[in-house]
Amino acid sequence: MSHLIAPSILSANFANLQADIELINNSEADWFHVDVMDGVFVPNISFGFPVIKAISKFAKKPLDVHLMIVEPDRYAQAFKDAGAGSLSVHIEACPHLHRSIQNIKNLGMKAGVAINPHTPVHMLEDIIADLDLVCMMSVNPGFGGQKFIQNTFEKVRQLHALILRQGSKALIEIDGGVDLNNYQELLHCGANVLVAGNTVFGSPNPSETISLLKKG
Ligand code: DX5
Ligand code: ZN
């Protein structure tokens, strides 16, 4: 399978979201990456259900929702209803991760786990077989446009090996600071999905930038 591109809506123009949704619809992008922040798990607040429902109404590609919130289980059904195709919860926010993942799957969504830069890959050993997606943070979550953390390359290699070892079907998604200088090495290390916010929406021609990231 060739790799997937998931532009992050966090860097889109909120004053004219529909235009940026259409841009993604008409590009080679595969998913919409939708970042939800609660101001508790991360030091920032993004947006909630009304905005996600509005995106869902116009999006012609799956919504990949990344929850940076505490107690995500409370809202899994609501995210399904808002149009989420996949839902990722943070391992650092879930004391009963296995239950959280089964709940997401039972609701009919793809289930993902996001891990912060300081969280070792081996923490996923007993859950990787149940996952559709691992969202590996390559910046500290909370803001777009941050600098890529170099240690991510080694973590992607480790995660790729863990997935092979256990025969898991989980995709490796890289989130934060992905740009035209590092994406090829990320793919080489085993990444399957590239999230890009600033690199796409901060470029003069977002659609062309998506095509470049898609070529690999
Ligand atoms: C960060 C978010 C990312 C962010 C990526 O907390 O999870 O998805 O939007 O933005 P860039 O690509 O600009 O680092
Ligand atoms: Zn994200």
Side-chain angles (χ1 to χ4, degrees), residues 8 10 33-37 64-68 90 135 137 141 173 175-176 195:
S8 173
L10 192 63
H33 186 79
V34 177
D35 288 307
V36 179
M37 307 176 183
D64 167 43
V65 178
H66 173 196
L67 298 185
M68 286 158 274
H90 265 266
C135 176
M137 294 309 303
E173 175 177 62
D175 189 9
V195 173

